[in-house]
Amino acid sequence: FVEGVIRAVDDRIFNSAVMTKFVEGEEKFGKMTRLELTRLTTSITRLAAITGTLQLAKTVTGGLSMPPFADMEKIDVAAEWDKLDLNDTHMLENFCLEVARLFPPVSSVHHIATEPFSVVLQGQTVDFPAGTKILVPTNLA
């Protein structure tokens, strides 16, 4: 089953619009082929998924300390987890989502702009070209 899922992810990445533009054999990319880059991307994605899932599981069950927000020391995550009715899937989901909001397993995501865009920063418009790398923090809630 897992191998089939991995192959499906490989295929999706390999056939993506971005990957079809990849030029194989360039020195700056270690002379990688499109397939090698696809497999590397899939491997990195798998590692991120494993690490993020493990962190979330440990945090939800009280195995990791929560970030030092105000009054967080008053919350005993493990004790709160023990009070939950494990048959109440709605409450379990809400609990997990709240823990993930407070201590997200993924702290940011990246995006590359596909077209030029402008933003207003401190009252001034700043223009950015297509290809600009954008970091989107996910833990500012």
Side-chain angles (χ1 to χ4, degrees):
F1 170 76
V2 173
E3 288 302 315
V5 171
I6 292 168
R7 273 195 300 280
V9 172
D10 273 350
D11 290 344
R12 187 172 186 151
I13 293 170
F14 187 83
N15 295 312
S16 69
V18 170
M19 198 61 79
T20 58
K21 297 175 186 174
F22 178 72
V23 178
E24 294 184 344
E26 287 191 11
E27 189 68 43
K28 67 181 177 180
F29 298 120
K31 298 183 180 181
M32 278 194 281
T33 66
R34 188 167 148 200
L35 181 59
E36 288 172 325
L37 181 56
T38 295
R39 296 246 167 96
L40 178 62
T41 304
T42 302
S43 296
I44 291 169
T45 303
R46 288 175 68 195
L47 285 172
I50 290 168
T51 303
T53 303
L54 181 60
Q55 177 190 322
L56 181 59
K58 283 184 175 179
T59 306
V60 164
T61 58
L64 290 178
S65 299
M66 295 296 282
F69 298 130
D71 296 328
M72 286 303 292
E73 71 280 355
K74 296 177 184 175
I75 299 172
D76 182 348
V77 176
E80 294 301 319
W81 173 260
D82 288 342
K83 293 177 192 175
L84 293 174
D85 176 359
L86 298 180
N87 293 314
D88 185 346
T89 56
H90 181 70
M91 185 57 72
L92 287 172
E93 181 178 356
N94 286 341
F95 182 83
C96 292
L97 289 173
E98 179 62 7
V99 169
R101 183 187 71 81
L102 293 170
F103 195 17
V106 177
S107 60
S108 62
V109 294
H110 297 84
H111 178 74
I112 298 177
T114 56
E115 56 188 52
F117 66 99
S118 300
V119 296
V120 177
L121 296 172
Q122 297 181 344
Q124 293 186 348
T125 300
V126 180
D127 297 319
F128 294 91
T132 299
K133 295 176 186 169
I134 304 167
L135 175 71
V136 182
T138 60
N139 59 346
L140 297 177

